[in-house]
Amino acid sequence: QVQLVESGGGLVQTGGSLRLSCAASGSIFGITFMGWYRQAPGKQREFVATIASGGSTNVADSVKGRFTISRDNAKNTAYLQMNSLKPEDTAVYYCNANIRIRLGSGWDAYWGQGTQVTVSS
């Protein structure tokens, strides 16, 4: 069984910073992409950033230059450093990972439970 556990959310003022963590645990043979998505009240879940196992990244235009995604493959953990936060960044942030649980099995997408980020104006 695989679990993704996010941490690091909270309340911050405009212009502040937060660092989110996502730790994958359980029966894991390999992880390709890890990423972050967010969902604001009344809106659809949207892409924020992804990082491949080799380190290449893809970041949404709305957060480019302010958010940085990174990962520690040895710890099966991804991070999202969020700087210069704005009220429009307020959302529940979800971790996503593409995981293979054993050699020969397929790759499946897993999601964390989400962590709330609130940016006050």
Side-chain angles (χ1 to χ4, degrees):
Q1 190 170 357
V2 174
Q3 278 191 316
L4 298 182
V5 178
E6 301 106 332
S7 61
L11 173 65
V12 66
Q13 291 185 332
T14 297
S17 298
L18 285 173
R19 188 191 193 212
L20 305 183
S21 298
C22 170
S25 63
S27 177
I28 298 173
F29 182 79
I31 304 176
T32 54
F33 290 94
M34 299 187 78
W36 293 93
Y37 292 73
R38 67 186 182 185
Q39 187 167 18
K43 295 187 177 181
Q44 289 188 330
R45 190 172 297 188
E46 65 174 5
F47 165 79
V48 177
T50 57
I51 183 167
S53 57
S56 60
T57 63
N58 188 20
V59 180
D61 288 342
S62 59
V63 304
K64 198 167 290 183
R66 300 187 297 121
F67 291 11
T68 302
I69 187 170
S70 60
R71 67 190 279 177
D72 183 333
N73 290 332
K75 295 181 179 180
N76 289 335
T77 299
Y79 306 95
L80 185 68
Q81 178 65 45
M82 305 185 294
N83 299 328
S84 302
L85 282 161
K86 305 174 181 180
E88 51 263 43
D89 295 317
T90 294
V92 177
Y93 283 70
Y94 295 92
C95 177
N96 168 263
N98 208 34
I99 294 173
R100 171 182 282 184
I101 61 172
R102 59 181 173 273
L103 182 64
S105 69
W107 296 90
D108 293 311
Y110 292 83
W111 291 89
Q113 81 287 352
T115 185
Q116 177 70 46
V117 171
T118 302
V119 184
S120 63
S121 57

